[in-house]
Coordinates of all heavy atoms in Angstrom, one line a residue:
A234 N -6.6 2.8 -6.6 CA -5.4 3.5 -6.9 C -5.3 4.1 -8.3 O -4.6 5.0 -8.6 CB -4.2 2.6 -6.6
E235 N -6.1 3.5 -9.2 CA -6.2 3.9 -10.6 C -7.2 5.0 -10.8 O -7.2 5.6 -11.9 CB -6.6 2.7 -11.5 CG -5.5 1.7 -11.8 CD -4.4 2.3 -12.6 OE1 -4.7 3.0 -13.6 OE2 -3.2 2.0 -12.3
D236 N -8.0 5.3 -9.8 CA -9.1 6.2 -10.0 C -8.9 7.4 -9.1 O -9.1 7.4 -7.9 CB -10.4 5.5 -9.6 CG -11.6 6.4 -9.7 OD1 -11.5 7.6 -10.1 OD2 -12.7 5.9 -9.3
S237 N -8.5 8.5 -9.7 CA -8.2 9.7 -9.0 C -9.4 10.3 -8.3 O -9.3 11.2 -7.4 CB -7.5 10.8 -9.9 OG -8.4 11.1 -11.0
E238 N -10.6 9.9 -8.7 CA -11.8 10.5 -8.1 C -12.5 9.7 -7.1 O -13.6 10.1 -6.6 CB -12.8 10.8 -9.3 CG -12.3 11.9 -10.2 CD -13.1 12.1 -11.4 OE1 -14.3 11.6 -11.4 OE2 -12.6 12.7 -12.4
W239 N -11.9 8.6 -6.6 CA -12.6 7.7 -5.7 C -12.9 8.4 -4.4 O -13.9 8.1 -3.8 CB -11.8 6.4 -5.5 CG -10.5 6.5 -4.7 CD1 -9.3 6.7 -5.2 CD2 -10.4 6.4 -3.3 NE1 -8.4 6.7 -4.2 CE2 -9.0 6.5 -3.0 CE3 -11.3 6.1 -2.2 CZ2 -8.6 6.4 -1.7 CZ3 -10.8 6.1 -0.9 CH2 -9.5 6.2 -0.7
K240 N -12.0 9.3 -3.9 CA -12.3 10.0 -2.6 C -13.6 10.9 -2.7 O -14.4 10.9 -1.8 CB -11.1 10.8 -2.2 CG -10.0 9.9 -1.6 CD -8.8 10.7 -1.1 CE -7.8 9.7 -0.6 NZ -6.5 10.4 -0.2
E241 N -13.7 11.5 -3.9 CA -14.9 12.3 -4.1 C -16.1 11.5 -4.2 O -17.2 11.8 -3.7 CB -14.8 13.2 -5.4 CG -13.8 14.3 -5.3 CD -12.5 14.0 -6.0 OE1 -12.4 13.9 -7.2 OE2 -11.5 13.7 -5.2
D242 N -16.0 10.3 -4.9 CA -17.1 9.4 -5.0 C -17.7 8.9 -3.7 O -18.9 8.7 -3.6 CB -16.7 8.1 -5.8 CG -16.3 8.4 -7.2 OD1 -16.6 9.5 -7.7 OD2 -15.7 7.6 -7.9
F243 N -16.9 8.8 -2.7 CA -17.3 8.4 -1.4 C -17.3 9.5 -0.3 O -17.3 9.2 0.9 CB -16.5 7.1 -0.9 CG -16.7 5.9 -1.8 CD1 -15.7 5.5 -2.6 CD2 -17.9 5.2 -1.8 CE1 -15.8 4.4 -3.5 CE2 -18.0 4.1 -2.6 CZ -17.0 3.7 -3.4
A244 N -17.2 10.7 -0.7 CA -17.1 11.8 0.2 C -18.2 11.9 1.3 O -17.9 12.2 2.4 CB -17.1 13.2 -0.6
D245 N -19.4 11.4 0.9 CA -20.5 11.5 1.9 C -20.7 10.1 2.6 O -21.7 9.9 3.2 CB -21.8 11.9 1.2 CG -22.2 11.1 0.0 OD1 -21.3 10.2 -0.4 OD2 -23.3 11.2 -0.5
E246 N -19.7 9.2 2.4 CA -19.8 7.9 3.1 C -18.4 7.6 3.8 O -17.6 6.8 3.4 CB -20.1 6.8 2.1 CG -21.4 7.1 1.4 CD -21.8 5.9 0.4 OE1 -21.9 4.8 0.9 OE2 -22.0 6.2 -0.8
P247 N -18.2 8.3 5.0 CA -17.0 8.2 5.7 C -16.5 6.8 6.1 O -15.3 6.5 6.1 CB -17.2 9.1 6.9 CG -18.6 9.3 7.0 CD -19.2 9.2 5.7
E248 N -17.5 5.9 6.4 CA -17.1 4.6 6.7 C -16.4 3.8 5.6 O -15.4 3.1 5.7 CB -18.3 3.8 7.2 CG -18.8 4.2 8.6 CD -17.6 4.1 9.7 OE1 -17.0 3.1 9.8 OE2 -17.4 5.2 10.3
I249 N -17.0 4.0 4.4 CA -16.5 3.3 3.2 C -15.1 3.9 2.8 O -14.2 3.2 2.5 CB -17.5 3.5 2.0 CG1 -18.8 2.6 2.3 CG2 -16.8 3.0 0.7 CD1 -19.8 2.8 1.2
L250 N -15.1 5.3 2.9 CA -13.8 6.0 2.7 C -12.7 5.5 3.5 O -11.6 5.2 3.1 CB -14.1 7.5 2.9 CG -13.1 8.5 2.2 CD1 -13.2 8.3 0.7 CD2 -13.6 9.9 2.6
K251 N -13.0 5.3 4.8 CA -12.0 4.8 5.8 C -11.6 3.4 5.5 O -10.4 3.1 5.6 CB -12.7 4.9 7.2 CG -11.8 4.8 8.4 CD -12.5 5.2 9.6 CE -12.1 4.2 10.7 NZ -12.9 4.4 12.0
K252 N -12.5 2.5 5.1 CA -12.3 1.1 4.8 C -11.3 1.0 3.6 O -10.4 0.3 3.6 CB -13.6 0.4 4.6 CG -13.5 -1.1 4.5 CD -14.9 -1.7 4.4 CE -14.9 -3.2 4.2 NZ -13.7 -3.9 3.8
I253 N -11.6 1.8 2.5 CA -10.8 1.8 1.3 C -9.4 2.3 1.6 O -8.4 1.8 1.2 CB -11.5 2.6 0.2 CG1 -12.8 1.9 -0.3 CG2 -10.6 2.7 -1.0 CD1 -13.7 2.8 -1.2
S254 N -9.4 3.5 2.3 CA -8.1 4.1 2.7 C -7.2 3.1 3.4 O -6.0 3.1 3.3 CB -8.3 5.4 3.5 OG -9.0 6.3 2.7
A255 N -7.8 2.3 4.3 CA -7.0 1.3 5.1 C -6.3 0.3 4.2 O -5.3 -0.3 4.7 CB -8.0 0.7 6.1
D256 N -6.9 0.1 3.0 CA -6.3 -0.9 2.1 C -5.1 -0.4 1.3 O -4.4 -1.1 0.7 CB -7.3 -1.4 1.1 CG -8.4 -2.3 1.8 OD1 -8.0 -3.0 2.8 OD2 -9.5 -2.3 1.3
F257 N -4.8 0.9 1.4 CA -3.8 1.6 0.7 C -2.4 1.4 1.4 O -2.3 1.5 2.6 CB -4.0 3.1 0.5 CG -4.8 3.4 -0.8 CD1 -6.1 3.0 -0.9 CD2 -4.2 4.0 -1.8 CE1 -6.8 3.2 -2.0 CE2 -4.9 4.3 -3.0 CZ -6.3 3.9 -3.1
Q258 N -1.4 1.1 0.6 CA 0.0 0.9 1.1 C 0.9 1.4 0.0 O 0.8 1.0 -1.2 CB 0.2 -0.5 1.4 CG 1.1 -0.8 2.6 CD 1.2 -2.3 2.9 OE1 1.9 -3.0 2.2 NE2 0.5 -2.7 3.9
D259 N 1.9 2.2 0.3 CA 2.8 2.7 -0.7 C 3.7 1.5 -1.1 O 4.0 0.6 -0.3 CB 3.7 3.8 -0.1 CG 3.0 5.1 -0.1 OD1 2.0 5.3 -0.8 OD2 3.4 6.0 0.7
P260 N 4.1 1.4 -2.4 CA 3.8 2.4 -3.5 C 2.7 2.0 -4.3 O 2.3 2.7 -5.3 CB 5.1 2.3 -4.3 CG 5.6 0.9 -4.2 CD 5.1 0.4 -2.8
W261 N 2.0 0.9 -4.0 CA 1.0 0.3 -5.0 C -0.5 0.6 -4.7 O -1.3 0.1 -5.3 CB 1.2 -1.2 -5.2 CG 2.6 -1.5 -5.6 CD1 3.5 -2.2 -4.8 CD2 3.3 -1.1 -6.8 NE1 4.7 -2.3 -5.5 CE2 4.6 -1.6 -6.7 CE3 2.9 -0.5 -7.9 CZ2 5.6 -1.5 -7.7 CZ3 3.9 -0.3 -8.9 CH2 5.1 -0.8 -8.8
G262 N -0.7 1.4 -3.7 CA -2.1 1.7 -3.3 C -2.8 0.5 -2.8 O -2.3 -0.2 -1.9
D263 N -4.0 0.2 -3.3 CA -4.8 -0.9 -2.8 C -4.6 -2.2 -3.5 O -5.2 -3.2 -3.3 CB -6.3 -0.5 -2.8 CG -6.8 -0.2 -4.2 OD1 -6.1 0.4 -5.0 OD2 -8.0 -0.4 -4.4
R264 N -3.6 -2.2 -4.5 CA -3.3 -3.4 -5.2 C -2.8 -4.5 -4.3 O -1.9 -4.2 -3.5 CB -2.3 -3.1 -6.3 CG -2.9 -2.2 -7.4 CD -1.7 -2.0 -8.5 NE -2.2 -1.1 -9.5 CZ -2.1 0.2 -9.4 NH1 -1.5 0.8 -8.3 NH2 -2.5 1.0 -10.3
R265 N -3.3 -5.7 -4.4 CA -2.9 -6.8 -3.6 C -3.5 -8.1 -4.0 O -4.4 -8.1 -4.8 CB -3.2 -6.5 -2.1 CG -4.7 -6.4 -1.8 CD -4.9 -5.7 -0.4 NE -6.3 -5.7 0.0 CZ -7.2 -4.9 -0.5 NH1 -6.9 -4.0 -1.5 NH2 -8.4 -5.0 -0.1
V266 N -3.1 -9.2 -3.4 CA -3.7 -10.5 -3.6 C -4.3 -10.8 -2.3 O -3.6 -10.7 -1.2 CB -2.6 -11.6 -4.0 CG1 -3.3 -12.9 -4.0 CG2 -2.0 -11.2 -5.3
E267 N -5.6 -11.1 -2.3 CA -6.2 -11.5 -1.0 C -7.2 -12.6 -1.3 O -8.3 -12.4 -1.9 CB -6.9 -10.2 -0.5 CG -7.3 -10.3 1.0 CD -7.7 -9.0 1.6 OE1 -6.8 -8.1 1.7 OE2 -8.8 -8.9 2.0
L268 N -6.8 -13.8 -0.9 CA -7.7 -15.0 -1.1 C -8.0 -15.7 0.2 O -7.1 -15.9 1.0 CB -6.9 -16.0 -2.0 CG -6.4 -15.4 -3.4 CD1 -5.5 -16.5 -4.0 CD2 -7.5 -15.0 -4.3
V269 N -9.2 -16.1 0.3 CA -9.6 -17.0 1.4 C -9.6 -18.4 0.9 O -10.3 -18.7 -0.2 CB -11.1 -16.6 1.9 CG1 -11.5 -17.6 3.0 CG2 -11.1 -15.2 2.4
V270 N -8.8 -19.2 1.5 CA -8.6 -20.6 1.0 C -9.3 -21.5 2.0 O -9.0 -21.4 3.2 CB -7.1 -21.0 0.9 CG1 -7.0 -22.4 0.3 CG2 -6.4 -20.0 0.0

Side-chain angles (χ1 to χ4, degrees):
E235 282 292 315
D236 178 5
S237 58
E238 293 172 15
W239 72 269
K240 286 183 180 172
E241 290 98 75
D242 295 345
F243 295 107
D245 55 351
E246 301 185 57
E248 286 306 305
I249 294 176
L250 203 58
K251 199 168 134 184
K252 193 173 171 349
I253 294 168
S254 297
D256 289 331
F257 271 68
Q258 213 177 78
D259 284 337
W261 307 113
D263 58 329
R264 292 178 185 88
R265 63 198 185 283
V266 174
E267 198 165 295
L268 305 172
V269 176
V270 183

